Structures are given as structure tokens and as C-alpha cells.
Amino acid sequence: VIVTGMSGAGRSTALRILEDAGYFCVDNLPISLIGKFSELIYSGTSEISKVALGIDIRSGRTLDELTAALELPLLKDVIRKWRETGQPFTILFLDSGDSVLIKRYKETRRSHPLAQEGRVAEGITEERGRLEFLKKQVDYIIDTSSLLTRELKQELDKIFMQNQEFKNLMITVLSFGFKYGIPSDADLVFDVRFLPNPYYYENLRKLTGNDQEIQDFVMGYDMAHVFLDKLEDMLLFLVPNYVLEGKNQLVVAIGCTGGKHRSVTLANKLYERLQKQSDYGVRLEHRDIGKDAARGK
């Protein structure tokens, strides 16, 4: 497995996860040594059967060397030989949104490898441009913008341990409250304020869509079931087409007034349905579920 991608997107974390899964991991091996290393592994004299190679813009001297390797002899020849001889290999690319990468660099106070004396944003832009040629050759793309480490582990487990068919798309089902603003990263936004609001019932007000009482109340209306059926049907149509277009992150946002009752319930139900579509990664997030409680309401 060649593990590559944007700096700060989680390549080192992915290598640690693969190492825990029994892979022999090598990070930043000079590109000129990859061919020799692969010959040793494939020679039959090595007891190592699963290898993960970490490659990024620091591998070798510069990324220009990596570009030349793909266009001329080095890595390009290695990959070609692997394909000709049927040697099993895959390329995993880890990506994240620019704003997420900038935030991660600020939090860790690290300098971007291509922006030692400049702005992080400029380094990210340059790196993205230089990696574009490599991204086109990958087998798997995982967008880690919203992933926790355990969620990244689950996705890698699907691909490399369970050998499940994997499509390069992570669906985030996100509940939110309109009074706190529409999520800036939402791709699809749905308003469920047409449903009766449990907030107006004293015995339900302090509960959330994670409580059975609220779920029974919301799902007690036929409109909620019709909405879910139509939404699921639309997503099952859209998602394969998004995959064909190369989209690797989809955020489906469901909102109600406060993001505590109706949106949480329907997000939970949609998540349960989409989980059955095992071709795609699915995660659940409730952005505003605790904000009313935090404000003492």
C-alpha cells in the first residue's frame, strides 16, 4: 500500500493504524529506493507479506523528484512493473479541505513543508497542485476533514482488513438548529420544521432526539416516514453519481429550530438506513444538540 496525500490530512495516523493491523510500515523512503525495496519484498526471501509505504512531498529531495519518477524511470517504472507482473498493490490518498488543514497547522504550530517562511495557505495550494497528477492514479481517496481517528480506522479496516468493496465517498449525516446557522460545509440541507415540535410539550422539552420518547413523538407522524423514504430514495440516486464525478465527501444536513429534537431524530433514522448501504462510509454528528442546555434553557 502506498499511503500518500496532503500534509496534515492524516497520513502518519493511517500508517500507525496499518502498523497495528500487521503491516510493515516505512515512512518517507527515498523514491530512488522504492524499486529496490519492492524487489526485496517480492523476492520470496522476505517474511514480510504486507507493507505500507508513506510518501509525501518530503520523500526524496523534493516533489519534483516524485514527478520525474512518475514521468520517467523511478516510481513510474516500479508501478508499471508491479502491474505487469501482477504484484498486488494499492494507492491510498488522504485529503482534507484547505480550511481544515490550515486549522490543524495552527493548532500544532507547525510549518507547512512548502511554506517554511510563508503563509500556510500558500503552501497548501502549491502542494495540492503538485499532487494532482498523483491523485489521479489512486485507488482510494479518504477525506479526513470530519473524521475522528476511530472513524478513519473503521474505513481502513473496511478496505484492508475486511476486503469490502469501497467507494471513495464518506457521507456525514448532520443535525443542526437553524437558529445557530446553516453548517458552512453542508452539501445538501433539509428543513424538517414542518413536523410538530416536541419543544412545546413540557414533558418532552428537556429530552433530545436520542431519547426514545422524542423518537416516538416525531416518528408518530406519517409525514416523518414519507420524508425519510423520499430522502433515502433521492440519496440512493445521487450518491453513485457523485462518486462517478469524483466527490469523496458528502454532508447531508437536517435542520430544525434548535437542533435538538426533530432534526436529531430524523438524522438518526437516516443514518440507520444509510448504514445498510455498506458501499459507502457513513458517520453521524449532532452539531447543536447540547446548546440549549448549555444556555440554561
Side-chain angles (χ1 to χ4, degrees):
V1 182
I2 293 178
V3 184
T4 187
M6 295 295 294
S7 300
R11 181 181 50 82
S12 297
T13 300
L15 285 173
R16 287 195 297 270
I17 293 171
L18 291 174
E19 185 174 34
D20 290 343
Y23 280 76
F24 180 79
C25 296
V26 181
D27 197 11
N28 288 322
L29 182 71
I31 305 239
S32 58
L33 296 181
I34 291 178
K36 295 293 185 182
F37 182 78
S38 67
E39 290 177 8
L40 174 64
I41 298 299
Y42 290 142
S43 66
T45 60
S46 173
E47 296 181 357
I48 300 172
S49 60
K50 298 190 297 183
V51 178
L53 295 178
I55 295 178
D56 69 356
I57 56 174
R58 295 170 297 170
S59 299
R61 293 187 299 276
T62 66
L63 187 62
D64 292 335
E65 180 182 346
L66 179 55
T67 306
L70 285 165
E71 294 175 350
L72 298 171
L74 300 175
L75 188 55
K76 180 179 180 180
D77 279 353
V78 172
I79 292 176
R80 177 177 54 78
K81 289 178 182 178
W82 287 350
R83 287 176 175 151
E84 288 177 352
T85 58
Q87 300 291 359
F89 76 98
T90 57
I91 303 177
L92 169 67
F93 191 99
L94 298 169
D95 202 357
S96 280
D98 288 1
S99 60
V100 175
L101 293 174
I102 291 172
K103 181 181 178 181
R104 289 174 182 173
Y105 272 104
K106 286 184 176 180
E107 288 176 347
T108 59
R109 299 185 179 181
R110 294 175 57 199
S111 299
H112 190 279
L114 294 182
Q116 296 293 334
E117 299 179 357
R119 295 172 55 231
V120 171
E122 294 174 351
I124 291 172
T125 299
E126 183 176 354
E127 181 184 20
R128 196 172 292 283
R130 291 189 181 189
L131 282 176
E132 185 62 29
F133 76 97
L134 182 58
K135 190 174 182 180
K136 294 177 180 178
Q137 304 189 48
V138 305
D139 300 287
Y140 304 108
I141 300 174
I142 297 180
D143 191 315
T144 66
S145 299
S146 303
L147 292 186
L148 301 174
T149 299
R150 60 177 174 80
E151 293 170 330
L152 175 59
K153 183 179 184 301
Q154 290 171 356
E155 295 309 305
L156 294 179
D157 184 68
K158 288 180 184 178
I159 301 171
F160 299 109
M161 276 62 87
Q162 299 179 26
N163 294 317
Q164 293 184 8
E165 182 181 355
F166 181 86
K167 295 184 179 179
N168 296 318
L169 182 72
M170 171 61 69
I171 303 173
T172 299
V173 180
L174 173 67
S175 72
F176 73 96
F178 276 97
K179 70 179 182 179
Y180 300 114
I182 296 174
S184 60
D185 59 342
D187 297 293
L188 301 171
V189 178
F190 298 94
D191 185 348
V192 296
R193 289 176 293 184
F194 64 88
L195 291 168
N197 193 350
Y199 178 83
Y200 295 110
Y201 294 82
E202 187 67 33
N203 61 319
L204 299 178
R205 184 173 301 166
K206 294 183 179 181
L207 302 178
T208 75
N210 288 332
D211 294 309
Q212 190 63 48
E213 294 91 333
I214 297 296
Q215 294 180 17
D216 291 342
F217 178 91
V218 174
M219 300 310 298
Y221 294 89
D222 289 341
M223 292 182 295
H225 294 274
V226 173
F227 171 79
L228 277 175
D229 289 342
K230 291 183 179 295
L231 179 54
E232 180 185 16
D233 184 59
M234 183 178 70
L235 289 175
L236 292 181
F237 165 75
L238 288 175
V239 166
N241 289 287
Y242 283 143
V243 171
L244 289 175
E245 289 299 313
K247 191 173 183 63
N248 51 57
Q249 183 75 249
L250 179 68
V251 178
V252 181
I254 300 177
C256 62
T257 304
K260 181 179 178 181
H261 299 116
R262 293 165 290 180
S263 62
V264 172
T265 296
L266 290 169
N268 285 338
K269 297 299 182 182
L270 179 62
Y271 172 74
E272 291 171 5
R273 292 189 181 200
L274 292 179
Q275 271 196 313
K276 298 176 183 178
Q277 309 298 326
S278 58
D279 286 347
Y280 311 103
V282 187
R283 63 188 301 270
L284 177 66
E285 182 179 344
H286 300 306
R287 191 191 71 175
D288 301 326
I289 191 171
K291 288 185 176 178
D292 280 349
R295 285 169 165 74
K297 296 181 179 179

